[in-house]
Amino acid sequence: MNSPSVKIIVGGLLLSAILLLPIKNGAAQDAATLEQLQQAKSAGASQRVDVSQYMQSSGNSTGRNGTSNQVNEYGPQPAGEEGLPPPFGANLFNGGFAAQRSDGLNSSYLVSPGDKISVQMWGTVNNAQVVTVDNQGNIFIPDVGPIQVKDIPANRINSVVTQKIKSIYTNNVSVYINLLTATPVSVYVAGPVARPGQYAGLASDSLLFFLKQAGGIDPHRGSYRDISIVRNGESLLEYDLYDFLKEGKMTTFSFQDGDVILVAEQGAMVTVEGSARYPFRFELESKNSSGKDLMYYSRPLTKTSHVAVTGNRAQGPISVYIPIDDFDNFVVSDGDVVLFNDDIRGNVISVQLSGSYKGPSFYTVDKDARLLDLLSYVEVDPSQANYGAIYIKRESVVEQQKALIDESLNRLERSIFTAPASSDGEARIRAQEAELVAQFVARARLIKPLGKVIVSENGIVANIRLEQGDEIIIPPHTDLIQVAGEVLLPQAIVYNPDATIGDYVAWAGGFSERAQDERIAIVHANGLTSFVSIDGGQWFGESSKNKLSPGDQVLVLPKIDTKLLQAVKDITQIVYQVAIAANVVTR
């Protein structure tokens, strides 16, 4: 629905303005609100209210240098603020301040001049009438006189008026009082807001309601800490929305026609980053404030140990790095960037145990602790734990293995997607290859390496230095050999000391059509991976390393089709890398 156009006399000039009306429930309420605002316009025609200076256009704005500034509902964004966090409280106007009951009333509504009240009396005196609250805040009842009802909550109006009536009619008179209608008021919202102008609401509506109607405070120019209620040129009340955001304090106020909500220009701003619960931009109460005040609103995390401050002062740029205890008395100024940092290195690390062991699974040890230092405190059952096959899973190794695999995948993509074609037929073949490679790369990128660190061989465990987050694996004793990959029936088979690798593959149904039968991977219980040929030949290591033992895994890798794919070497290398890093077969 189009907003009605209303002509307003401002300082002797006839201006045309658009009257912004909040959505009401029902046509009757729209008509009543419009009528009331028309009356407010007529009554306030002599007031000098200049809101044109706050009107902002939408679209893109071009600066002096010809560059286009980013524009939103609040207008062009100031240069240099791109990428900065929002101001503290920027999400305040996402709340439901515009929600109202269908009758426009609520139990906390304060009675205002113009409201209509139903008065019912029966018994010795019978009287039924609807009275209007006059400009002095009174209602007049015959034989009783004026009763002051202004600023009385709607849920108390019955008891207040009844008590006054019964002070005159003391016996045999029953009274019922009901607030029928609430008179809307016309309030101006000015200053750095999205849509400055004139808005309708109830006298008891909150400051936030009218600011919400105006689109909220401009986060780049408007102040959340300096908002005034102006009546007839005099400031009646000032609001600091930080008090509401932090402590829930919001002073109630009864608005009247012609009141102005004036949002001041944004004050000094400080940007908070790093280890803080509220990493926003904060407006200072004064041009210079203490670090203690800033920490009250930004709430640094407990682990924060130091504070870095960069900014500008009269004598030039500054950059300081101080302990957080010294930041309480540090003076922060407009434009400062404050970084809360956790810069204390712990003297202990935590590690985890998995597999077969007794006792706790997490240990806190000195940061210089070594593997055997910890294992001396771990109780195991020798009949259950394969103590000589211990290995470690380490996050730093995971990152390194993932980086190596990603590098190989990137190289593979470059070689495939940039391969030249000499004819249309070859180009179609290259396109098919690229599609297959893209599918392979997408699957390979989803695989997370295990980050295995091999620390044991032939029952001897290396005494390496532990790292934060290490997971120490103590494998359990088992009598099984796992056969997986490109076989027809992947399964676990009971260990047979007389069986060869070919026997285990045969017991798993034999090779599949896509199997690489020239090289087979063996993942040993201690995490080590080696490769052997089916006839016993070796590519890596000595024969003792490739001999199967209980708990080992036979992993048959896929064969890359050399007829279709050009980059067979690169793909084969990646398949082997994934097999070693993650104990899985990539197809």
Side-chain angles (χ1 to χ4, degrees), residues 48-133:
R48 297 175 179 266
V49 181
D50 183 8
V51 296
S52 61
Q53 61 177 311
Y54 301 109
M55 296 298 182
Q56 299 174 8
S57 61
S58 59
N60 290 328
S61 174
T62 303
R64 293 183 182 179
N65 57 3
T67 59
S68 178
N69 295 331
Q70 183 177 352
V71 178
N72 53 30
E73 61 179 326
Y74 303 104
Q77 182 174 342
E81 291 196 3
E82 300 84 357
L84 291 179
F88 180 63
N91 61 343
L92 177 61
F93 300 102
N94 296 333
F97 306 117
Q100 298 183 26
R101 291 176 50 181
S102 60
D103 58 4
L105 300 175
N106 58 72
S107 60
S108 61
Y109 171 76
L110 302 180
V111 176
S112 301
D115 292 350
K116 297 186 181 299
I117 298 175
S118 171
V119 179
Q120 306 283 340
M121 295 189 298
W122 67 94
T124 304
V125 176
N126 292 307
N127 185 15
Q129 61 179 319
V130 175
V131 295
T132 302
V133 181

Coordinates of all heavy atoms in Angstrom, one line a residue, residues 48-133:
R48 N 8.8 24.1 14.1 CA 9.8 24.1 13.1 C 10.6 22.8 13.2 O 11.5 22.7 14.1 CB 10.7 25.3 13.2 CG 10.0 26.6 13.0 CD 10.9 27.8 13.3 NE 10.2 29.0 13.1 CZ 10.3 29.7 12.0 NH1 11.0 29.3 11.0 NH2 9.6 30.9 11.9
V49 N 10.3 21.8 12.4 CA 11.0 20.5 12.4 C 11.6 20.3 11.0 O 10.9 20.2 10.0 CB 10.0 19.4 12.7 CG1 10.8 18.1 12.8 CG2 9.3 19.7 14.0
D50 N 12.9 20.3 11.0 CA 13.7 20.1 9.7 C 14.3 18.8 9.7 O 15.3 18.5 10.4 CB 14.7 21.2 9.5 CG 15.4 21.1 8.2 OD1 15.0 20.3 7.4 OD2 16.4 21.8 8.0
V51 N 13.7 17.8 9.0 CA 14.3 16.5 8.9 C 14.9 16.2 7.5 O 15.4 15.1 7.3 CB 13.1 15.4 9.2 CG1 12.6 15.6 10.6 CG2 12.0 15.5 8.2
S52 N 14.8 17.2 6.6 CA 15.3 16.9 5.3 C 16.8 16.6 5.3 O 17.3 15.9 4.4 CB 15.0 18.1 4.4 OG 15.7 19.2 4.9
Q53 N 17.5 17.2 6.2 CA 19.0 17.0 6.2 C 19.4 15.5 6.5 O 20.5 15.1 6.3 CB 19.6 17.9 7.2 CG 19.2 17.7 8.7 CD 19.9 18.6 9.7 OE1 21.1 18.7 9.6 NE2 19.1 19.2 10.5
Y54 N 18.4 14.8 7.1 CA 18.8 13.4 7.4 C 18.3 12.4 6.4 O 18.5 11.2 6.5 CB 18.1 13.0 8.8 CG 18.6 13.9 9.9 CD1 17.7 14.9 10.5 CD2 19.9 13.8 10.4 CE1 18.2 15.7 11.5 CE2 20.3 14.7 11.4 CZ 19.5 15.6 12.0 OH 19.9 16.4 13.0
M55 N 17.5 12.9 5.4 CA 17.0 12.0 4.4 C 18.2 11.5 3.5 O 19.1 12.3 3.2 CB 16.0 12.7 3.5 CG 14.7 13.1 4.2 SD 13.9 11.7 4.9 CE 12.4 12.5 5.6
Q56 N 18.2 10.2 3.2 CA 19.4 9.6 2.5 C 18.8 8.9 1.3 O 17.8 8.2 1.3 CB 20.1 8.6 3.4 CG 20.7 9.3 4.6 CD 21.4 8.3 5.5 OE1 21.5 7.2 5.2 NE2 21.8 8.8 6.7
S57 N 19.6 8.9 0.2 CA 19.2 8.2 -1.0 C 19.8 6.8 -1.0 O 20.8 6.5 -0.3 CB 19.7 9.0 -2.2 OG 21.1 9.1 -2.2
S58 N 19.2 6.0 -1.9 CA 19.7 4.6 -2.0 C 20.5 4.5 -3.3 O 20.4 5.4 -4.2 CB 18.6 3.6 -2.0 OG 17.7 3.9 -3.0
G59 N 21.2 3.4 -3.4 CA 22.0 3.2 -4.6 C 23.4 3.3 -4.4 O 23.9 3.4 -3.2
N60 N 24.2 3.5 -5.4 CA 25.7 3.6 -5.3 C 26.0 5.1 -5.3 O 25.4 5.9 -6.0 CB 26.4 2.9 -6.5 CG 26.2 1.4 -6.3 OD1 26.2 0.9 -5.2 ND2 26.2 0.7 -7.5
S61 N 27.0 5.4 -4.5 CA 27.5 6.8 -4.4 C 28.9 6.8 -4.9 O 29.7 6.0 -4.5 CB 27.4 7.3 -3.0 OG 28.0 8.5 -2.8
T62 N 29.3 7.9 -5.6 CA 30.6 8.0 -6.1 C 31.4 9.1 -5.3 O 30.9 10.2 -5.2 CB 30.6 8.4 -7.6 OG1 29.9 7.4 -8.3 CG2 32.0 8.4 -8.2
G63 N 32.6 8.7 -4.8 CA 33.3 9.7 -4.0 C 34.1 10.6 -4.9 O 34.0 10.6 -6.2
R64 N 34.9 11.5 -4.3 CA 35.7 12.5 -5.0 C 36.6 11.9 -6.0 O 36.8 12.4 -7.1 CB 36.5 13.4 -4.0 CG 35.6 14.2 -3.1 CD 36.5 15.1 -2.3 NE 35.8 15.9 -1.3 CZ 36.3 16.7 -0.4 NH1 37.7 16.8 -0.4 NH2 35.6 17.4 0.4
N65 N 37.2 10.8 -5.7 CA 38.2 10.2 -6.6 C 37.5 9.3 -7.7 O 38.2 8.6 -8.4 CB 39.2 9.3 -5.8 CG 38.5 8.2 -5.0 OD1 37.2 8.1 -5.0 ND2 39.2 7.5 -4.2
G66 N 36.2 9.4 -7.7 CA 35.6 8.6 -8.8 C 35.3 7.2 -8.5 O 34.7 6.5 -9.3
T67 N 35.7 6.7 -7.3 CA 35.5 5.3 -6.9 C 34.1 5.2 -6.4 O 33.5 6.1 -5.8 CB 36.5 4.8 -5.9 OG1 36.4 5.7 -4.7 CG2 37.9 4.9 -6.5
S68 N 33.5 4.0 -6.5 CA 32.1 3.8 -6.0 C 32.2 3.2 -4.6 O 32.8 2.2 -4.3 CB 31.4 2.7 -7.0 OG 30.1 2.5 -6.5
N69 N 31.5 3.9 -3.7 CA 31.4 3.5 -2.3 C 30.3 2.4 -2.1 O 29.3 2.5 -2.8 CB 31.1 4.7 -1.4 CG 32.3 5.7 -1.4 OD1 33.4 5.3 -1.6 ND2 31.9 6.9 -1.2
Q70 N 30.5 1.5 -1.2 CA 29.5 0.5 -0.9 C 28.3 1.2 -0.3 O 28.4 2.0 0.7 CB 30.1 -0.5 0.0 CG 29.1 -1.7 0.3 CD 29.7 -2.7 1.2 OE1 30.9 -2.7 1.4 NE2 28.9 -3.7 1.6
V71 N 27.1 0.9 -0.8 CA 25.9 1.6 -0.3 C 24.9 0.5 0.2 O 24.7 -0.5 -0.4 CB 25.2 2.4 -1.5 CG1 23.9 3.0 -1.0 CG2 26.2 3.4 -2.0
N72 N 24.3 0.8 1.4 CA 23.3 0.0 1.9 C 22.1 0.9 2.3 O 22.0 2.0 1.9 CB 23.8 -0.8 3.1 CG 24.4 0.0 4.2 OD1 24.1 1.2 4.3 ND2 25.4 -0.5 4.9
E73 N 21.2 0.4 3.1 CA 20.0 1.1 3.5 C 20.4 2.4 4.3 O 19.5 3.3 4.5 CB 19.0 0.3 4.3 CG 19.6 -0.3 5.6 CD 18.6 -1.1 6.4 OE1 17.4 -0.8 6.3 OE2 19.0 -2.1 7.0
Y74 N 21.5 2.4 4.9 CA 22.0 3.6 5.6 C 22.7 4.6 4.8 O 23.2 5.6 5.3 CB 22.8 3.1 6.8 CG 22.1 2.2 7.7 CD1 22.5 0.8 7.7 CD2 21.2 2.6 8.6 CE1 21.8 -0.1 8.5 CE2 20.5 1.7 9.5 CZ 20.9 0.3 9.4 OH 20.2 -0.6 10.2
G75 N 22.9 4.3 3.5 CA 23.7 5.2 2.7 C 25.1 4.7 2.4 O 25.4 3.6 2.8
P76 N 26.0 5.5 1.8 CA 27.3 5.0 1.5 C 28.1 4.7 2.7 O 28.0 5.4 3.7 CB 27.9 6.3 0.7 CG 26.8 7.1 0.3 CD 25.7 6.9 1.3
Q77 N 28.9 3.6 2.6 CA 29.7 3.2 3.8 C 31.0 4.1 3.7 O 31.6 4.3 2.7 CB 30.1 1.8 3.7 CG 30.9 1.3 4.8 CD 31.2 -0.2 4.7 OE1 30.4 -0.9 4.0 NE2 32.1 -0.7 5.4
P78 N 31.4 4.7 4.9 CA 32.6 5.5 4.9 C 33.8 4.7 4.4 O 34.0 3.5 4.7 CB 32.7 5.9 6.4 CG 31.3 5.7 6.9 CD 30.7 4.6 6.2
A79 N 34.7 5.4 3.7 CA 35.9 4.8 3.3 C 36.8 4.4 4.4 O 36.9 5.1 5.4 CB 36.7 5.8 2.4
G80 N 37.4 3.2 4.3 CA 38.3 2.7 5.3 C 37.6 1.8 6.3 O 38.2 1.2 7.2
E81 N 36.2 1.7 6.3 CA 35.5 0.8 7.2 C 35.1 -0.5 6.6 O 34.4 -1.3 7.2 CB 34.3 1.5 7.8 CG 34.6 2.7 8.6 CD 33.4 3.2 9.5 OE1 32.4 2.5 9.4 OE2 33.5 4.2 10.2
E82 N 35.5 -0.8 5.4 CA 35.2 -2.0 4.7 C 35.9 -3.2 5.5 O 37.1 -3.1 5.8 CB 35.7 -2.1 3.3 CG 35.0 -1.0 2.4 CD 35.7 0.4 2.5 OE1 36.7 0.5 3.3 OE2 35.3 1.3 1.8
G83 N 35.2 -4.2 5.8 CA 35.7 -5.4 6.5 C 35.8 -5.2 8.0 O 36.2 -6.2 8.7
L84 N 35.4 -4.1 8.5 CA 35.5 -4.0 10.0 C 34.3 -4.7 10.6 O 33.2 -4.8 10.0 CB 35.4 -2.5 10.4 CG 36.7 -1.7 10.1 CD1 36.5 -0.2 10.5 CD2 37.9 -2.2 10.7
P85 N 34.4 -5.1 11.9 CA 33.3 -5.8 12.5 C 32.1 -4.8 12.8 O 32.4 -3.6 12.8 CB 33.9 -6.3 13.8 CG 35.1 -5.4 14.1 CD 35.6 -5.1 12.7
P86 N 30.9 -5.2 12.9 CA 29.8 -4.3 13.2 C 29.9 -3.7 14.6 O 30.6 -4.2 15.4 CB 28.6 -5.2 13.1 CG 29.1 -6.6 13.4 CD 30.5 -6.6 12.9
P87 N 29.2 -2.6 14.8 CA 29.3 -2.0 16.1 C 28.5 -2.8 17.1 O 27.6 -3.6 16.8 CB 28.6 -0.6 15.9 CG 27.8 -0.8 14.7 CD 28.5 -1.8 13.8
F88 N 28.9 -2.7 18.4 CA 28.2 -3.4 19.5 C 26.8 -3.0 19.5 O 26.5 -1.8 19.6 CB 28.9 -3.1 20.8 CG 28.3 -3.8 22.0 CD1 28.3 -5.2 22.1 CD2 27.8 -3.0 23.0 CE1 27.7 -5.8 23.2 CE2 27.2 -3.6 24.1 CZ 27.2 -5.0 24.2
G89 N 25.8 -3.9 19.4 CA 24.4 -3.6 19.4 C 23.8 -3.5 18.1 O 22.6 -3.1 17.9
A90 N 24.6 -3.8 17.0 CA 24.0 -3.6 15.6 C 22.9 -4.5 15.4 O 22.0 -4.2 14.5 CB 25.1 -3.9 14.6
N91 N 22.8 -5.7 16.1 CA 21.7 -6.6 15.9 C 20.5 -6.3 16.8 O 19.5 -7.0 16.8 CB 22.1 -8.0 16.1 CG 22.6 -8.2 17.6 OD1 22.9 -7.2 18.3 ND2 22.7 -9.5 18.0
L92 N 20.5 -5.2 17.5 CA 19.5 -4.8 18.4 C 18.1 -4.7 17.7 O 17.1 -5.1 18.2 CB 19.8 -3.5 19.1 CG 18.8 -3.0 20.1 CD1 18.5 -4.0 21.3 CD2 19.3 -1.7 20.7
F93 N 18.1 -4.1 16.5 CA 16.9 -3.8 15.9 C 16.3 -5.0 15.0 O 15.4 -4.8 14.2 CB 17.0 -2.6 15.0 CG 17.4 -1.4 15.9 CD1 18.7 -0.9 15.9 CD2 16.4 -0.8 16.7 CE1 19.0 0.2 16.7 CE2 16.8 0.3 17.5 CZ 18.1 0.8 17.5
N94 N 16.9 -6.2 15.2 CA 16.4 -7.4 14.6 C 15.3 -8.0 15.5 O 14.7 -9.0 15.2 CB 17.5 -8.4 14.4 CG 18.5 -8.0 13.4 OD1 18.2 -7.2 12.5 ND2 19.7 -8.5 13.5
G95 N 15.1 -7.4 16.7 CA 14.1 -7.9 17.6 C 12.7 -7.5 17.2 O 12.4 -6.8 16.3
G96 N 11.7 -8.0 18.0 CA 10.3 -7.9 17.7 C 9.7 -6.7 18.4 O 8.6 -6.8 19.0
F97 N 10.3 -5.5 18.2 CA 9.7 -4.3 18.9 C 8.4 -3.8 18.3 O 7.7 -3.1 18.9 CB 10.8 -3.2 18.9 CG 12.1 -3.6 19.5 CD1 13.2 -3.6 18.7 CD2 12.2 -4.0 20.8 CE1 14.4 -3.9 19.2 CE2 13.4 -4.4 21.3 CZ 14.5 -4.3 20.5
A98 N 8.2 -4.2 17.0 CA 7.0 -3.7 16.4 C 5.8 -4.6 16.6 O 4.7 -4.2 16.2 CB 7.2 -3.7 14.8
A99 N 5.9 -5.7 17.3 CA 4.8 -6.6 17.6 C 3.9 -5.9 18.6 O 4.3 -5.4 19.6 CB 5.3 -7.9 18.2
Q100 N 2.6 -6.0 18.3 CA 1.6 -5.4 19.2 C 0.4 -6.3 19.3 O 0.2 -7.2 18.5 CB 1.0 -4.0 18.6 CG 2.1 -3.0 18.5 CD 1.5 -1.7 18.0 OE1 0.3 -1.4 18.2 NE2 2.2 -0.9 17.3
R101 N -0.4 -6.1 20.4 CA -1.7 -6.8 20.5 C -2.6 -6.2 19.5 O -2.5 -5.1 19.1 CB -2.2 -6.6 21.9 CG -1.4 -7.4 23.0 CD -2.0 -7.1 24.4 NE -3.4 -7.3 24.4 CZ -4.1 -7.1 25.5 NH1 -3.6 -6.7 26.6 NH2 -5.4 -7.4 25.5
S102 N -3.7 -7.0 19.1 CA -4.6 -6.6 18.1 C -5.3 -5.3 18.5 O -5.7 -4.5 17.6 CB -5.6 -7.7 17.8 OG -6.3 -8.0 19.0
D103 N -5.6 -5.1 19.8 CA -6.3 -3.9 20.2 C -5.4 -2.7 20.4 O -5.8 -1.6 20.8 CB -7.2 -4.1 21.4 CG -6.4 -4.6 22.6 OD1 -5.1 -4.7 22.4 OD2 -7.0 -4.9 23.6
G104 N -4.1 -2.9 20.3 CA -3.1 -1.8 20.5 C -2.8 -1.5 21.9 O -2.1 -0.6 22.3
L105 N -3.4 -2.3 22.9 CA -3.2 -2.1 24.3 C -2.4 -3.2 24.9 O -2.4 -4.3 24.4 CB -4.6 -2.0 25.0 CG -5.5 -0.9 24.5 CD1 -6.9 -1.0 25.2 CD2 -4.9 0.5 24.7
N106 N -1.8 -2.9 26.0 CA -1.2 -3.9 26.8 C -1.3 -3.5 28.3 O -1.6 -2.3 28.6 CB 0.3 -4.1 26.4 CG 1.1 -2.9 26.5 OD1 1.4 -2.4 27.6 ND2 1.5 -2.3 25.4
S107 N -1.0 -4.4 29.2 CA -1.3 -4.2 30.6 C -0.4 -3.0 31.2 O -0.8 -2.4 32.2 CB -1.0 -5.4 31.4 OG 0.3 -5.9 31.2
S108 N 0.7 -2.8 30.5 CA 1.6 -1.7 31.0 C 1.4 -0.4 30.3 O 2.2 0.6 30.6 CB 3.1 -2.2 30.9 OG 3.4 -2.4 29.5
Y109 N 0.4 -0.3 29.4 CA 0.2 0.9 28.7 C -0.2 2.0 29.7 O -1.0 1.8 30.6 CB -1.0 0.7 27.7 CG -1.5 2.0 27.1 CD1 -0.7 2.6 26.1 CD2 -2.7 2.6 27.5 CE1 -1.2 3.8 25.5 CE2 -3.1 3.8 26.9 CZ -2.3 4.4 25.9 OH -2.8 5.6 25.4
L110 N 0.3 3.2 29.5 CA 0.1 4.4 30.4 C -1.0 5.2 29.8 O -0.9 5.6 28.6 CB 1.3 5.2 30.7 CG 2.5 4.4 31.3 CD1 3.7 5.3 31.5 CD2 2.1 3.8 32.6
V111 N -2.0 5.5 30.6 CA -3.1 6.3 30.1 C -2.6 7.7 29.7 O -1.9 8.3 30.4 CB -4.3 6.4 31.1 CG1 -5.4 7.3 30.6 CG2 -4.8 5.0 31.4
S112 N -3.1 8.2 28.5 CA -2.7 9.5 28.0 C -3.9 10.3 27.6 O -5.0 9.8 27.4 CB -1.8 9.3 26.8 OG -0.7 8.5 27.1
P113 N -3.8 11.7 27.5 CA -4.9 12.5 27.1 C -5.4 12.0 25.7 O -4.6 11.7 24.8 CB -4.2 13.9 26.9 CG -3.1 13.9 27.9 CD -2.6 12.5 27.9
G114 N -6.7 12.0 25.6 CA -7.4 11.6 24.4 C -7.9 10.1 24.5 O -8.7 9.7 23.6
D115 N -7.4 9.3 25.4 CA -7.9 8.0 25.6 C -9.3 8.0 26.0 O -9.8 8.9 26.7 CB -7.0 7.2 26.6 CG -5.6 7.0 26.1 OD1 -5.4 7.2 24.9 OD2 -4.8 6.5 26.9
K116 N -10.1 6.9 25.7 CA -11.5 6.8 26.0 C -11.6 5.7 27.1 O -11.0 4.6 26.9 CB -12.3 6.5 24.8 CG -12.3 7.6 23.8 CD -13.3 7.4 22.6 CE -13.2 8.5 21.6 NZ -13.6 9.8 22.2
I117 N -12.4 6.0 28.1 CA -12.6 5.0 29.2 C -14.1 4.8 29.5 O -14.8 5.8 29.5 CB -11.9 5.6 30.5 CG1 -10.4 5.7 30.3 CG2 -12.2 4.7 31.7 CD1 -9.7 6.4 31.5
S118 N -14.5 3.6 29.6 CA -15.8 3.2 29.9 C -16.0 3.1 31.4 O -15.3 2.5 32.1 CB -16.2 1.9 29.2 OG -17.5 1.4 29.7
V119 N -17.1 3.9 31.9 CA -17.4 3.9 33.3 C -18.8 3.3 33.5 O -19.8 3.8 32.9 CB -17.4 5.3 33.9 CG1 -17.7 5.3 35.3 CG2 -16.0 6.0 33.6
Q120 N -18.9 2.2 34.3 CA -20.2 1.6 34.6 C -20.4 1.5 36.1 O -19.5 1.1 36.8 CB -20.2 0.1 34.0 CG -19.8 -0.1 32.6 CD -21.0 0.3 31.7 OE1 -22.1 0.3 32.1 NE2 -20.7 0.6 30.4
M121 N -21.6 2.1 36.5 CA -21.9 2.1 37.9 C -23.3 1.5 38.0 O -24.2 1.9 37.3 CB -21.8 3.5 38.5 CG -20.5 4.1 38.6 SD -20.4 5.6 39.5 CE -21.5 6.7 38.6
W122 N -23.6 0.7 39.0 CA -24.9 0.1 39.3 C -25.1 -0.1 40.8 O -24.1 -0.2 41.5 CB -25.1 -1.1 38.5 CG -24.3 -2.3 38.9 CD1 -24.6 -3.3 39.7 CD2 -23.0 -2.6 38.4 NE1 -23.6 -4.2 39.9 CE2 -22.6 -3.8 39.0 CE3 -22.1 -1.9 37.5 CZ2 -21.3 -4.4 38.8 CZ3 -20.9 -2.5 37.3 CH2 -20.5 -3.7 38.0
G123 N -26.4 -0.2 41.2 CA -26.7 -0.3 42.6 C -27.6 0.9 43.0 O -28.6 1.2 42.3
T124 N -27.1 1.6 44.0 CA -27.8 2.9 44.4 C -27.8 3.9 43.3 O -28.8 4.6 43.1 CB -27.2 3.4 45.7 OG1 -27.2 2.4 46.7 CG2 -27.9 4.7 46.2
V125 N -26.7 3.9 42.6 CA -26.6 4.9 41.4 C -26.3 4.1 40.2 O -25.5 3.2 40.2 CB -25.4 5.8 41.7 CG1 -25.2 6.7 40.5 CG2 -25.6 6.7 42.9
N126 N -27.1 4.4 39.1 CA -26.9 3.7 37.9 C -26.4 4.7 36.9 O -27.0 5.8 36.6 CB -28.2 3.1 37.4 CG -28.7 2.0 38.2 OD1 -28.0 1.0 38.4 ND2 -29.9 2.0 38.7
N127 N -25.3 4.4 36.3 CA -24.6 5.3 35.3 C -23.7 4.5 34.4 O -23.0 3.7 34.8 CB -23.8 6.4 36.1 CG -23.2 7.4 35.1 OD1 -23.7 7.6 34.0 ND2 -22.3 8.2 35.6
A128 N -23.9 4.8 33.1 CA -23.0 4.2 32.1 C -22.6 5.3 31.1 O -23.5 5.9 30.4 CB -23.8 3.1 31.4
Q129 N -21.3 5.5 31.0 CA -20.9 6.5 30.0 C -19.4 6.2 29.6 O -18.7 5.4 30.2 CB -20.9 7.9 30.7 CG -20.0 8.0 32.0 CD -20.1 9.4 32.6 OE1 -20.1 10.4 31.9 NE2 -20.1 9.5 33.9
V130 N -19.1 6.8 28.5 CA -17.7 6.8 28.0 C -17.1 8.2 28.1 O -17.7 9.1 27.5 CB -17.7 6.3 26.5 CG1 -16.2 6.3 26.0 CG2 -18.2 4.8 26.4
V131 N -16.0 8.3 28.8 CA -15.4 9.6 29.0 C -14.1 9.6 28.3 O -13.4 8.6 28.1 CB -15.3 9.8 30.5 CG1 -16.6 10.0 31.2 CG2 -14.4 8.8 31.2
T132 N -13.6 10.8 28.0 CA -12.3 11.0 27.3 C -11.4 11.7 28.3 O -11.8 12.7 29.0 CB -12.5 11.9 26.1 OG1 -13.5 11.3 25.2 CG2 -11.2 12.1 25.4
V133 N -10.1 11.3 28.3 CA -9.1 11.9 29.2 C -8.8 13.2 28.6 O -8.4 13.3 27.4 CB -7.9 11.0 29.3 CG1 -6.8 11.6 30.2 CG2 -8.2 9.6 29.8

